[in-house]
Amino acid sequence: MVKENIYQPFEIFFQELDEAPVSGRSHNFFELVYIIDGTGKQCINKNKFDYSKGHFFLLTPKDHHSFEIEKTTKFFYLRFGDIYLKSKEQKDPSYFEAWTSRLEFIFQNASNLPGCILKNIEDRILVKNIVDSLIKEYINRDVYHQEVIVQLVNTVIVLVARSISRTFPLKLQEKGSSEAMLSMVRYVQSNIYKPEMLKTEQIATHFNLSQSYVGEYFKKHTGENLQQYITNYKLQLVETRLRYSDLRINEIAFELGFTDESHLNRIFKKYKGTTPSDFRKKSPNLL
């Protein structure tokens, strides 16, 4: 396993590969990987997802990943870490603190949602145009190119954050959400593969709340019932795996804590109006 580091706010580079390095990689930074051209598979945390032109992946410091290249692939990489999150200057320090805290929260939880992070056509078009512009600025190095690159990097990172934040309850997508509530949602997302950690008594103990108040507190701040949120979030993860991976449905059920494949089929049908297998057939890989 190769360990990589960066020691600056961000770095960008691009490369064309016929085959990927044999060993996987881990790192101490966040990495956005855009597929300019080519096909293959992204291997991340024991899951595999097909990739093709236009796919955009976010890798967090917790992820172990590699690529299996099927057709010669052109990659664009944008790497950034804590230095980037903490080095931006803002006129309003309180706003800056809240902004960086939100970005850290979003990106730290992104590893639960592998696969292409762009879920609508508008964001895909925007990101493609920004990546094209970043490459041109990087190559041409025209006057003020560094300043232009910084602004483009800021824009693409905010677009990514917005895309990921759509997995949060509606009220938490708004500015001004309390840190305590963000921490609770982060706890739920981080422990989504550990059902025993999501029991009301466990959450109450972790956040020093009474068991009877946990559900009321969660609904008050998110507008959503706690158990409903857990179920909806799990189903989002199921959809991602159905769309992007070749995992069997019983493997997905086991990974996400459903009793068995029948249990997953029943819950998925109830909330989504179709079965997992039909959803997979009717949902072609994005892009």
Side-chain angles (χ1 to χ4, degrees):
M1 181 65 66
V2 178
K3 183 72 175 181
E4 298 178 311
N5 304 280
I6 61 171
Y7 304 97
Q8 52 191 327
F10 68 84
E11 64 180 27
I12 61 174
F13 68 99
F14 38 92
Q15 61 182 173
E16 182 175 316
L17 296 174
D18 293 316
E19 60 181 26
V22 175
S23 60
R25 297 161 52 209
S26 64
H27 38 69
N28 72 341
F29 48 83
F30 298 97
E31 183 172 52
L32 288 162
V33 184
Y34 184 81
I35 308 301
I36 300 172
D37 201 8
T39 59
K41 293 185 182 296
Q42 178 205 30
C43 309
I44 179 167
N45 303 330
K46 300 181 180 179
N47 292 316
K48 289 187 178 182
F49 301 86
D50 291 332
Y51 73 75
S52 59
K53 180 179 180 180
H55 276 164
F56 203 28
F57 302 107
L58 172 62
L59 307 171
T60 79
K62 296 183 291 184
D63 294 325
H64 298 287
H65 72 96
S66 60
F67 287 101
E68 294 178 359
I69 297 175
E70 297 170 357
K71 180 181 177 182
T72 299
T73 300
K74 296 179 181 179
F75 295 96
F76 170 85
Y77 303 89
L78 167 57
R79 296 171 169 177
F80 62 98
D82 290 343
I83 299 174
Y84 169 82
L85 293 172
K86 299 183 185 306
S87 66
K88 293 170 60 60
E89 295 182 359
Q90 297 282 344
K91 293 181 180 179
D92 183 349
S94 62
Y95 172 78
F96 170 62
E97 183 178 353
W99 187 79
T100 54
S101 176
R102 177 62 63 84
L103 284 182
E104 288 174 330
F105 170 76
I106 289 169
F107 292 137
Q108 287 291 355
N109 285 280
S111 59
N112 282 345
L113 291 165
C116 182
I117 56 178
L118 301 176
K119 305 303 182 185
N120 62 59
I121 188 65
E122 292 82 6
D123 285 349
R124 282 180 260 160
I125 292 171
L126 276 172
V127 168
K128 180 185 183 303
N129 290 336
I130 293 172
V131 169
D132 288 343
S133 297
L134 278 167
I135 292 174
K136 289 177 182 177
E137 291 295 334
Y138 188 85
I139 293 174
N140 295 335
R141 298 183 179 273
D142 201 351
V143 61
Y144 298 129
H145 75 278
Q146 291 181 329
E147 288 80 0
V148 173
I149 286 174
V150 168
Q151 295 303 319
L152 291 172
V153 166
N154 292 342
T155 301
V156 75
I157 289 175
V158 171
L159 283 171
V160 169
R162 183 177 70 179
S163 181
I164 296 170
S165 71
R166 294 191 178 112
T167 66
F168 301 161
L170 287 176
K171 285 189 177 181
L172 288 187
Q173 294 175 22
E174 303 168 358
K175 294 179 181 178
S177 301
S178 73
E179 287 301 312
M181 195 61 246
L182 287 172
S183 295
M184 187 174 288
V185 172
R186 179 174 183 172
Y187 174 90
V188 170
Q189 293 188 352
S190 298
N191 290 286
I192 200 68
Y193 304 106
K194 304 172 185 176
E196 70 280 2
M197 301 297 290
L198 299 180
K199 294 179 179 179
T200 301
E201 56 267 31
Q202 185 65 37
I203 295 175
T205 299
H206 185 85
F207 289 97
N208 197 28
L209 297 170
S210 68
Q211 291 187 38
S212 60
Y213 184 59
V214 169
E216 179 184 341
Y217 177 80
F218 192 90
K219 188 167 185 177
K220 175 183 177 182
H221 290 278
T222 67
E224 198 169 344
N225 176 279
L226 174 60
Q227 292 306 316
Q228 187 75 48
Y229 175 73
I230 291 172
T231 298
N232 286 334
Y233 187 63
K234 279 188 176 183
L235 291 178
Q236 286 183 47
L237 302 182
V238 170
E239 286 185 350
T240 298
R241 281 149 180 75
L242 290 171
R243 178 176 285 122
Y244 292 109
S245 80
D246 55 6
L247 290 171
R248 295 191 296 272
I249 293 173
N250 66 332
E251 292 175 320
I252 297 172
F254 176 77
E255 181 183 22
L256 288 164
F258 293 92
T259 305
D260 52 27
E261 184 175 338
S262 295
H263 182 211
L264 172 56
N265 283 334
R266 187 169 64 255
I267 297 297
F268 198 90
K269 174 76 171 179
K270 177 181 178 181
Y271 286 92
K272 302 297 180 180
T274 186
T275 64
S277 57
D278 284 344
F279 177 87
R280 173 172 268 168
K281 291 175 184 176
K282 296 175 182 178
S283 301
N285 201 322
L286 290 180
L287 297 173

